[in-house]
Amino acid sequence: MRKLFLFILFSVLSFSSFAEEDWGWWNELHGWKTGMPGWRNWIIISPAYLGPNALPVPEVKKGFFLNESEFALTASTHFHSGDPTQDISGRLFIPFAKGKIAVEMYGVMMEHYAYTEEIRNERFSRDKDGKGTAIGDFYFSTLIQLTRDRKFPNTLFRMALRTASGGKLEAARYSDAPGYFFDVSSSKDFGTRESLLFRPYGMIGFYSWQTNDELMLQNDALLYGLGTEWEHNSWRLGASWSGYHGYKNTGDRPMQLNFDLRKDFSKSAISLQYQHGLHDWLYKTLRFSFIWKFNAVK
């Protein structure tokens, strides 16, 4: 009976301590007073004020996809003087209908962050020490091959949905809100893989995500990208410039340079990528991926 009483007392005290968690430091820092909008309204839902994986610029597609299924496991390091971040992500790509349609699923499985007090205050974060882990958003996209290997440029349509599965809005890591984007990409091949293939490509589209602004609950952006790729046998080297341009102009216009190198084997591949933020997304990201290849769905 005594043990039961002590257990109940401990539980009540623990609950009371949790319920009365002191947010005085945050209230004083940002001048919050009773009657003002809640803390969620203070978080700025844009790439400049969230973690590196919250509202990333979508990968620039190249106007086509190969009729080959893949699963990739990626380790990423995001260099930032105030917000160094590391994460593990996964990606599953499955083409079917003889390579005319494909589905792609991807997301960050675990993210580790440790940002400075300056970054914490700038982003209105309620994570006092600025350290922790988070799970990222889940993306699901459908790709439709419009034209391929014809006189007209390779052309691909992509439509993607982002779920609100990412956690830690209170730490300003993810938006805790859904979004979507769609785009059309095109490319043209010159030369052959056996000698040297040169492929310029471009992308144009639309990106939209939900915010916490009661007057404008949605932010819309022009999505864009330009790049070139070289192929020689089983090697691929590419460089591109990409971003999107939101209409609110509240840190919602990220722009970056992308460089990637890939080596293919019979049943696998490895990839090394580097991303350099230019505007509203100021991370320098290094990614290493190991890719397993398997047959497409017929």
Side-chain angles (χ1 to χ4, degrees), residues 126-145:
R126 286 162 70 87
D127 190 332
K128 192 172 184 178
D129 67 0
K131 299 177 181 179
T133 59
I135 297 174
D137 293 319
F138 175 76
Y139 290 76
F140 179 88
S141 64
T142 300
L143 299 89
I144 302 174
Q145 190 71 65

Side-chain angles (χ1 to χ4, degrees), residues 28 68 139 150 178 184 203 226 230 234 261 268 289:
E28 182 178 352
E68 193 169 54
Y139 290 76
R150 298 181 181 179
V184 174
M203 176 189 75
L226 286 173
W230 293 264
S234 60
L261 176 66
S268 62
S289 302

Side-chain angles (χ1 to χ4, degrees), residues 8 14 19-20 26 33 56 79 82 91 93-94 101 104 106 149 212 219 223 271 273 284 290:
I8 294 174
S14 298
E20 297 174 7
W26 190 92
K33 297 180 181 179
F79 299 95
R91 168 184 170 270
F93 180 83
I94 303 176
I101 301 174
E104 188 175 35
Y106 58 95
D149 297 329
N212 55 6
N219 198 345
L223 178 63
S271 172
Q273 298 175 307
K284 297 173 179 62
F290 189 85

Side-chain angles (χ1 to χ4, degrees), residues 110-169:
M110 182 59 68
E111 173 187 298
H112 174 263
Y113 62 89
Y115 49 78
T116 63
E117 186 175 303
E118 181 182 2
I119 291 290
R120 181 200 69 186
N121 298 342
E122 180 185 48
R123 298 179 182 179
F124 300 98
S125 168
R126 286 162 70 87
D127 190 332
K128 192 172 184 178
D129 67 0
K131 299 177 181 179
T133 59
I135 297 174
D137 293 319
F138 175 76
Y139 290 76
F140 179 88
S141 64
T142 300
L143 299 89
I144 302 174
Q145 190 71 65
L146 301 179
T147 62
R148 175 76 194 275
D149 297 329
R150 298 181 181 179
K151 292 184 178 180
F152 191 80
N154 303 320
T155 305
L156 178 69
F157 174 74
R158 173 176 58 175
M159 180 170 48
L161 172 69
R162 191 191 78 239
T163 67
S165 56
K168 292 292 185 85
L169 175 65

Side-chain angles (χ1 to χ4, degrees), residues 27-41:
N27 299 341
E28 182 178 352
L29 179 65
H30 299 294
W32 186 90
K33 297 180 181 179
T34 303
M36 296 179 69
W39 66 268
R40 287 176 175 269
N41 296 77

